[in-house]
Amino acid sequence: MIHAEGLVKRFGDNLAVDDVSLEVRQGEVFGFLGPNGAGKTTTVRMLTTLVAPTGGTAWVNGHQLGVADAQVRASVGLLTEAPGLYPRLTAVENLGIYGQLHGVEDVPAQVRKYLTLLELWDRRDEPVGGFSKGMQQKLAIARALLHEPPALFLDEPTAALDPEAARVVRDFIETLRGEGRTIFLCTHNLDEADRLCDRVGVIRQRLVRVDTPANLRHGLYGRSVRVRLAQPTPGLEASVAALPFVQGVTPLEDGLRVALDDPETHNPNLVRALVAAGAAIQYLEEESHTLEQVYFDLMAESREAVA
Amino acid sequence: MNTGRIRVIVRKEWLDMRKNKMVLGMMFLLPLILVLMILGTAAAFRYVPEQMSDPLVPEGTPGLPPALAQMDTDDRTLAILNDQYMFYLLMIPMVLPVYIASYSIIGEKETRSLEPILATPISTAELLIGKVVGAVTPAVIAAWASFALTALGMYFLATRPVFLYLIRPIWTVGMLIHSPLFALMSASGGVIASSRLNDPRAAQQISGLLVVPLLGVSFLVLMGRVYLDTGTLLWVTPIILALNAAILWLTVRIFQRETILTRWK
């Protein structure tokens, strides 16, 4: 669906994007994470043919950049960082222009469909300059979807929205995922990426890592369970460490952290061994790391690599 | 080139203009004032001729066109005054669209709507032609309507020789063909300024300068330094058309979407 090979973008001496290769599959929600100036928007602009790559190439929905730019643009929907609406025009007029530019067959029907879906139909004849930020963002999403593109690029869709409006937008992205569209989501909101994305790519000029959020966590921290004990049990750490499936044991103030390669398989054996060793288990749970932790650690890793 | 997409942009420009009362007012107020001035002068000649008796060109002045030489003094004075007003009317489609065109791209930059529109299948040429035509058409319609109103008023207020002198081919051809062509040229200049600059005031001032050469030619004609007859007007038409095509090509060439998108904050 989206296949990029060694994309490079330079603005004069400034290297904005360096050798980005990635593959986004059909129906996938792909999160693109990175700090400000990391090259997220520039990558989206290259993939939507708004700026030409300095090097490398990409295929979007089977159309190659620089070869079939108009076809690429016809097959993608783009939600830009700012809604970019015409403030004096009404919601219907704003969408109508884009429907016609995309050659949508029944523009009024499509406009009605998306204004209704995004709960804007009642405000359809009002100038959008008077809309709240959330409403403008919803209208911009409707605009990106009007021609039913198989791939959707969303650049910071919930930035600057209040929590309620952000939730509406996130729920709508979930709905879109259910329709089998490919979604390329640039975001700073790591919780949002964690909840919505099948895979994430972390960029800092170069692509630092691409994987599912779960694999990124496991890759960085491995998998471990935390055992909380009612009281300290002498010799427990050594007996757990001796178990063949245990990869490591770290004593904690109120128990142990046990590293396992496959907790689903080994947890029952671990519990049995702990009980046999006399441990008073209060509870046992898999340790989780937020995507935020993963992100910061990956960023630190990339800074070290550059240094 | 997809004319359907050009029409969409033209309609969008008109829609936006229609909702901006200030711009719309500016578009129609000036031509209306001119029409009132022309017809007011004709009415004054008709109803208070003694107040208007000072002849601009006395009888027997050498080099007068036959149509003027055959008129009586009042008619000749009114016909010559009409010619001067007609120059201003002819210039309206050159002057007004330039201000709209000079805001066309900057306006998109300000509302951040350029990026979404460039992400549609529209080409740069289609977008810019739509912008230019969108800026020119209302002014041309206003000028044509003003010319029709003037002619109609003259039919009732002035004598037949003055009316026929007003609707002679030099004005009708000029108004119907050359005025829109010059308007396209000046609007293209406005779009160029709008593409290259970020400040609407600077773009409007620079665009205003672009009209100066056209005004210069008009004044030379008005002062009698350049004589234009219908034959000359028709002869220069292909040249103006070629110039228009060249300026439009230049407008598209120097529109750098990448620079506009990445440098505009």
Side-chain angles (χ1 to χ4, degrees):
Chain A
M1 184 64 38
I2 299 169
H3 173 79
E5 281 179 8
L7 281 180
V8 177
K9 184 65 194 176
R10 263 179 198 285
F11 296 107
D13 293 335
N14 176 30
L15 182 62
V17 173
D18 185 18
D19 195 25
V20 167
S21 298
L22 54 85
E23 182 92 37
V24 182
R25 295 181 281 267
Q26 186 170 357
E28 184 175 32
V29 180
F30 184 84
F32 210 40
L33 312 178
N36 286 332
K40 300 189 299 292
T41 300
T42 303
T43 305
V44 167
R45 283 176 170 166
M46 282 193 280
L47 292 173
T48 52
T49 77
L50 289 169
V51 300
T54 313
T57 191
W59 285 261
V60 178
N61 299 317
H63 309 293
Q64 191 179 4
L65 305 188
V67 176
D69 284 357
Q71 287 90 326
V72 170
R73 292 200 293 271
S75 72
V76 301
L78 171 65
L79 174 73
T80 47
E81 220 172 325
L85 301 162
Y86 298 113
R88 273 187 288 270
L89 307 192
T90 66
V92 169
E93 289 163 347
N94 263 284
L95 293 189
I97 291 164
Y98 282 84
Q100 288 165 358
L101 285 177
H102 276 290
V104 171
E105 248 178 49
D106 190 349
V107 175
Q110 280 296 91
V111 168
R112 190 188 178 109
K113 174 184 165 185
Y114 281 105
L115 286 181
T116 308
L117 263 176
L118 287 155
E119 296 164 1
L120 290 170
W121 181 246
D122 291 343
R123 310 281 300 267
R124 64 189 178 278
D125 292 326
E126 292 177 29
V128 304
F131 281 14
S132 67
K133 274 185 183 173
M135 288 166 70
Q136 292 194 1
Q137 193 72 333
K138 285 200 284 184
L139 191 61
I141 293 175
R143 181 185 61 198
L145 286 164
L146 213 56
H147 56 296
E148 306 291 358
L152 200 57
F153 290 85
L154 307 175
D155 197 355
E156 306 286 352
T158 56
L161 296 186
D162 62 53
E164 203 175 325
R167 188 178 171 174
V168 172
V169 170
R170 271 196 291 270
D171 288 349
F172 194 67
I173 295 171
E174 291 263 31
T175 311
L176 294 174
R177 192 216 322 241
E179 292 175 358
R181 290 181 209 267
T182 305
I183 298 173
F184 195 98
L185 172 71
C186 289
T187 184
H188 282 301
N189 188 327
L190 300 167
D191 181 49
E192 179 175 284
D194 208 4
R195 275 195 276 167
L196 292 173
C197 300
D198 301 308
R199 286 190 307 146
V200 294
V202 180
I203 184 172
R204 192 185 177 94
Q205 272 79 47
R206 297 177 74 93
L207 209 50
V208 177
R209 198 77 61 89
V210 179
D211 215 327
T212 63
N215 284 349
L216 283 178
R217 288 187 182 95
H218 301 156
L220 275 182
Y221 312 110
R223 297 185 74 183
S224 57
V225 293
R226 181 189 169 95
V227 183
R228 185 165 162 175
L229 303 170
Q231 73 255 346
T233 312
L236 187 65
E237 189 186 334
S239 45
V240 170
L243 295 169
F245 51 83
V246 169
Q247 294 178 323
V249 182
T250 314
L252 302 172
E253 209 172 287
D254 55 357
L256 298 172
R257 176 183 293 122
V258 184
L260 301 168
D261 63 345
D262 184 3
E264 286 79 10
T265 307
H266 300 305
N267 272 350
N269 296 330
L270 176 65
V271 172
R272 271 194 288 274
L274 285 166
V275 172
I281 303 170
Q282 277 184 328
Y283 62 76
L284 182 144
E285 63 176 356
E286 181 164 8
E287 278 208 315
S288 64
H289 299 268
T290 62
L291 192 58
E292 191 174 25
Q293 280 174 285
V294 175
Y295 172 82
F296 284 123
D297 287 342
L298 283 174
M299 280 296 127
E301 203 178 282
S302 104
R303 270 194 295 271
E304 278 165 24
V306 169
Chain B
M1 186 80 69
N2 182 319
T3 53
R5 287 199 284 260
I6 295 174
R7 281 201 301 273
V8 174
I9 298 297
V10 172
R11 276 202 299 272
K12 181 250 144 193
E13 293 294 305
W14 290 351
L15 199 57
D16 208 20
M17 210 181 294
R18 228 177 59 202
K19 297 193 177 200
N20 189 339
K21 302 273 184 293
M22 192 76 180
V23 173
L24 199 67
M26 187 183 82
M27 194 62 75
F28 288 95
L29 189 65
L30 188 60
L32 190 68
I33 289 172
L34 263 177
V35 172
L36 291 176
M37 283 170 71
I38 299 171
L39 298 182
T41 308
F45 268 91
R46 181 176 176 135
Y47 297 111
V48 282
E50 65 282 0
Q51 302 291 318
M52 313 296 291
S53 59
D54 188 18
L56 282 178
V57 182
E59 212 161 323
T61 304
L64 274 182
L68 278 180
Q70 286 161 12
M71 289 180 194
D72 67 29
T73 309
D74 279 357
D75 277 359
R76 188 165 48 249
T77 303
L78 180 58
I80 289 168
L81 283 173
N82 280 348
D83 269 4
Q84 298 192 2
Y85 284 134
M86 284 305 295
F87 259 112
Y88 296 122
L89 206 55
L90 202 65
M91 281 181 229
I92 281 174
M94 298 178 215
V95 177
L96 293 185
V98 91
Y99 289 100
I100 293 163
S102 63
Y103 189 69
S104 59
I105 300 297
I106 290 180
E108 300 269 4
K109 291 176 191 172
E110 283 185 342
T111 54
R112 312 285 293 266
S113 49
L114 197 58
E115 191 168 356
I117 211 150
L118 289 175
T120 69
I122 198 166
S123 68
T124 303
E126 289 161 0
L127 175 69
L128 297 183
I129 290 172
K131 292 274 179 194
V132 169
V133 174
V136 162
T137 323
V140 169
I141 289 171
W144 283 353
S146 305
F147 183 59
L149 264 178
T150 305
L152 187 71
M154 281 293 164
Y155 180 79
F156 291 109
L157 290 170
T159 60
R160 189 162 172 76
V162 172
F163 168 72
L164 290 177
Y165 193 70
L166 176 82
I167 60 160
R168 69 191 191 279
I170 190 168
W171 289 132
T172 40
V173 171
M175 187 57 78
L176 291 174
I177 297 172
H178 295 100
S179 188
L181 288 179
F182 279 121
L184 282 174
M185 225 186 280
S186 63
S188 300
V191 171
I192 290 176
S194 192
S195 308
R196 306 295 289 187
L197 299 166
N198 289 337
D199 180 9
R201 287 160 300 186
Q204 281 174 347
Q205 282 160 4
I206 288 181
S207 308
L209 290 177
L210 298 173
V211 182
V212 170
L214 297 177
L215 292 181
V217 173
S218 305
F219 278 115
L220 285 176
V221 174
L222 196 64
M223 290 163 69
R225 302 281 178 181
V226 174
Y227 181 69
L228 288 180
D229 56 16
T230 314
T232 314
L233 277 181
L234 290 174
W235 177 79
V236 297
T237 304
I239 297 174
I240 303 171
L241 269 171
L243 267 173
N244 258 299
I247 293 178
L248 207 55
W249 176 83
L250 189 70
T251 310
V252 175
R253 289 286 297 178
I254 66 175
F255 180 86
Q256 294 171 338
R257 62 164 72 196
E258 198 166 309
T259 310
I260 292 172
L261 289 179
T262 52
R263 296 214 181 138
W264 176 264
K265 296 288 176 202

